Amino acid sequence: MDQSELSALQRLVADAALRERPLRDDASMTERASVAIRESARLSSVDQLDIYREQFWARHVHSLEDDFAIARHFVGERVFFDLVAAYFVAFPPSSLDLRGLGARLPDFASTRAPFADDAMLREAMRFDWAFMEAFDAPRGTPFDPQSIAGASEDAWPRATIAFDPSLRPMALAWPLDETRAAIRRATAPERPSPRATFAVVYRGAESLHCATIEAMAFALLEALRGGAALGAACEAVATSHGVADANELGPKVGAWFQQWTANGWVSAVRV
């Protein structure tokens, strides 16, 4: 097979993979297959090509169904398949690595029915994808408590904190952490009622996790992740949440920090 024949075969397989229906239903694909692929004793040229098409859809659609389990649960198999089919036409897979396959799907879905008119579904797409981002994030440096052993009390307001790269804090309008957990337990949860939820998706030592935290803890976490010093971040959170004196947050901040370090969220404290 020369280079031109190889290129033609590669184009044929790529074109065939994105067809939703059996290739026998398409006369042009049947003709192209007969030219590029030799018939076997068991299968015609187009039937051989159709095996690759079927495997493409089975492998890729199943991967995205698992990546976006919440949306798949609520919209059903047919609607989700139609979404994926349109997505593959707009953004054909360009890598053998399936982990990044759905990177553009949340934004793509937001422009199509029923996602365009359903804020919960759009939020669910972003929430589910946060787990994939956490999984693929670089591994951070474990926090060393001895690094702050000699820090003076006066130094703490100027301290900055570095967090594990896998952290994905999300302010949600629905308790999607509960919904996702129920789906993964193979139950069939009903559509959740709106409820403000502050979730942190992260990668633990052996698996992915999601923890919920209170609103002030979430605000402080986001301020610190943005590079604010601890003192300035506490003052900003106190002001935004109606706490008269930022010093009143001290016991809460201490408890939050202990929990964050226990979860492996903190990589370093610079004082």
Side-chain angles (χ1 to χ4, degrees), residues 78-126:
R78 183 69 250 177
V79 172
F80 191 82
F81 181 91
D82 290 344
L83 170 69
V84 171
Y87 175 65
F88 285 159
V89 171
F91 303 104
S94 58
S95 171
L96 296 177
D97 186 355
L98 293 179
R99 290 204 302 267
L101 185 64
R104 296 180 174 181
L105 190 55
D107 287 341
F108 180 79
S110 68
T111 67
R112 299 178 61 87
F115 301 87
D117 298 319
D118 193 326
M120 189 277 289
L121 288 178
R122 296 196 301 272
E123 184 170 273
M125 297 287 286
R126 293 192 297 272

Side-chain angles (χ1 to χ4, degrees), residues 126-177:
R126 293 192 297 272
F127 179 62
D128 269 335
W129 189 248
F131 285 83
M132 295 301 295
E133 291 180 329
F135 182 84
D136 279 334
R139 189 161 295 280
T141 304
F143 174 62
D144 179 10
Q146 291 301 314
S147 64
I148 59 173
S152 66
E153 186 174 345
D154 293 341
W156 279 102
R158 298 188 300 276
T160 57
I161 300 177
F163 292 91
D164 187 85
S166 73
L167 249 63
R168 293 296 184 274
M170 299 192 70
L172 305 172
W174 288 267
L176 295 177
D177 59 310

Side-chain angles (χ1 to χ4, degrees), residues 24-268:
R24 277 188 171 277
D25 297 342
D26 189 321
S28 66
M29 291 300 296
T30 300
E31 181 178 355
R32 289 174 63 189
S34 67
V35 173
I37 301 172
R38 181 180 302 173
E39 291 194 0
S40 71
R42 296 174 54 197
L43 294 171
S44 67
S45 301
V46 72
D47 287 338
Q48 293 177 59
L49 184 60
D50 210 36
I51 291 175
Y52 290 96
R53 183 195 66 82
E54 291 174 350
Q55 289 302 309
F56 171 87
W57 284 102
R59 183 169 182 253
H60 289 72
V61 174
H62 177 73
S63 176
L64 291 179
E65 285 180 333
D66 189 57
D67 292 347
F68 297 97
I70 301 175
R72 164 63 178 80
H73 171 73
F74 287 116
V75 304
E77 179 181 1
R78 183 69 250 177
V79 172
F80 191 82
F81 181 91
D82 290 344
L83 170 69
V84 171
Y87 175 65
F88 285 159
V89 171
F91 303 104
S94 58
S95 171
L96 296 177
D97 186 355
L98 293 179
R99 290 204 302 267
L101 185 64
R104 296 180 174 181
L105 190 55
D107 287 341
F108 180 79
S110 68
T111 67
R112 299 178 61 87
F115 301 87
D117 298 319
D118 193 326
M120 189 277 289
L121 288 178
R122 296 196 301 272
E123 184 170 273
M125 297 287 286
R126 293 192 297 272
F127 179 62
D128 269 335
W129 189 248
F131 285 83
M132 295 301 295
E133 291 180 329
F135 182 84
D136 279 334
R139 189 161 295 280
T141 304
F143 174 62
D144 179 10
Q146 291 301 314
S147 64
I148 59 173
S152 66
E153 186 174 345
D154 293 341
W156 279 102
R158 298 188 300 276
T160 57
I161 300 177
F163 292 91
D164 187 85
S166 73
L167 249 63
R168 293 296 184 274
M170 299 192 70
L172 305 172
W174 288 267
L176 295 177
D177 59 310
E178 298 174 2
T179 302
R180 179 182 166 95
I183 291 172
R184 295 184 72 83
R185 291 195 303 269
T187 60
E190 297 181 357
R191 183 184 174 101
S193 299
R195 188 176 81 227
T197 302
F198 300 93
V200 181
V201 177
Y202 65 101
R203 185 183 58 225
E206 298 180 355
S207 60
L208 296 172
H209 303 276
C210 179
T212 55
I213 58 179
E214 59 183 279
M216 281 200 297
F218 183 88
L220 181 65
L221 178 65
E222 288 291 76
L224 294 171
R225 289 180 72 243
L230 181 59
C234 287
E235 290 179 2
V237 171
T239 300
S240 63
H241 287 78
V243 179
D245 185 354
N247 291 325
E248 296 179 16
L249 286 180
K252 284 181 172 289
V253 173
W256 295 338
F257 186 79
Q258 287 182 354
Q259 187 61 57
W260 297 351
T261 54
N263 288 344
W265 298 359
V266 177
S267 290

Side-chain angles (χ1 to χ4, degrees), residues 1-11 35-36:
M1 180 180 294
D2 60 28
Q3 186 60 44
S4 63
E5 292 174 326
L6 177 60
S7 297
L9 179 59
Q10 290 173 333
R11 288 194 298 271
V35 173

